[in-house]
Amino acid sequence: MNSNEVILAQGYKYIVSTLIVAIILSLLDFNILGTILFILTAFIAFTYRNPHRQVFANSNNVLSPIDGTVTAIDLKNGKQIIYCKVTPCDTAVVRAPIDSSLKIESYQNGLNLNPNSYKANLLNEQITFIFDNIKLKLISGLCNPKIKHTDSKNIKQGDSIALFIDGLAIITIQENQNLLVKIGDKLKSAQTIIYSK
């Protein structure tokens, strides 16, 4: 996944197709529909944007892997679980929180139901990454296309590892870590420090 693009390559087909239809509708004097599709094209381009992020790599800090809002924090079986809502208005690039080997614990192809429903946990597309003792689970939402991810096994802090537009991100860490985030906080991938080792 190229992290130097201004617009992510995965968004080009959506942008070009809606732009072509918008132009055709405008030429055929369907101005209202054409205008709506021009606005939709701009929103898609915004969704697939890839702003430059300066990663201040530090082996003592665990950075947020995603952009999103912390909606809940739970304690379960000696783990702290951070639930984050990701929307199309957040940056779609998922980045490595630490230098680590990357393992995909599970992947499930599936639907795009509301990620906060019970059925979503069973039926939605989802993927679980393991970075040493940190787990990141992504559950696809209503607007998410197929989750794209890297095949790299060894990653550096801040490396792009996946593309995730909409849904629920669940970050699981050890209970003995002192969290630096709280409910309501807005996370930025490769910028926000979740905790320091």
Side-chain angles (χ1 to χ4, degrees):
M1 306 180 94
N2 188 349
S3 59
N4 296 320
E5 302 164 323
V6 175
I7 300 291
L8 296 165
Q10 292 85 349
Y12 290 157
K13 65 181 178 182
Y14 303 113
I15 293 167
V16 170
S17 58
T18 54
L19 184 59
I20 289 170
V21 174
I23 291 169
I24 291 170
L25 288 172
S26 294
L27 292 173
L28 295 173
D29 284 333
F30 292 101
N31 294 328
I32 294 175
L33 287 176
T35 301
I36 290 170
L37 283 177
F38 279 122
I39 293 168
L40 180 61
T41 302
F43 181 72
I44 292 170
F46 176 77
T47 298
Y48 282 92
R49 73 198 183 285
N50 186 22
H52 174 71
R53 293 264 169 100
Q54 180 67 42
V55 180
F56 299 102
N58 185 329
S59 60
N60 292 323
N61 292 336
V62 174
L63 303 178
S64 174
I66 51 95
D67 278 26
T69 304
V70 178
T71 56
I73 298 173
D74 199 6
L75 288 173
K76 187 176 181 182
N77 300 328
K79 307 281 186 183
Q80 294 184 79
I81 305 168
I82 306 163
Y83 297 87
C84 301
K85 175 65 180 155
V86 179
T87 71
C89 293
D90 295 312
T91 303
V93 179
V94 181
R95 295 178 171 92
I98 57 172
D99 292 344
S100 160
S101 59
L102 175 64
K103 178 184 172 191
I104 297 174
E105 183 182 67
S106 63
Y107 173 77
Q108 172 183 304
N109 207 350
L111 304 176
N112 287 66
L113 304 173
N114 178 348
N116 296 316
S117 67
Y118 174 73
K119 285 185 178 178
N121 202 30
L122 300 173
L123 302 175
N124 279 22
E125 181 184 16
Q126 50 194 275
I127 189 168
T128 304
F129 297 104
I130 303 289
F131 315 88
D132 292 341
N133 58 355
I134 301 165
K135 183 187 286 190
L136 172 65
K137 182 176 184 178
L138 303 174
I139 302 175
S140 182
L142 296 169
C143 302
N144 204 65
K146 192 161 185 66
I147 300 171
K148 306 286 186 188
H149 61 86
T150 184
D151 293 324
S152 297
K153 301 298 179 194
N154 293 304
I155 52 167
K156 297 286 185 193
Q157 193 175 45
D159 283 355
S160 173
I161 58 165
L163 181 66
F164 188 68
I165 301 289
D166 174 53
L168 184 65
I170 304 170
I171 306 165
T172 304
I173 63 172
Q174 298 297 320
E175 185 177 8
N176 59 357
Q177 303 299 338
N178 184 26
L179 276 184
L180 299 177
V181 297
K182 60 187 182 305
I183 295 172
D185 282 358
K186 181 79 174 150
L187 305 182
K188 292 189 104 177
S189 67
Q191 302 283 292
T192 305
I193 300 172
I194 294 178
Y195 71 88
S196 294
K197 297 179 186 176

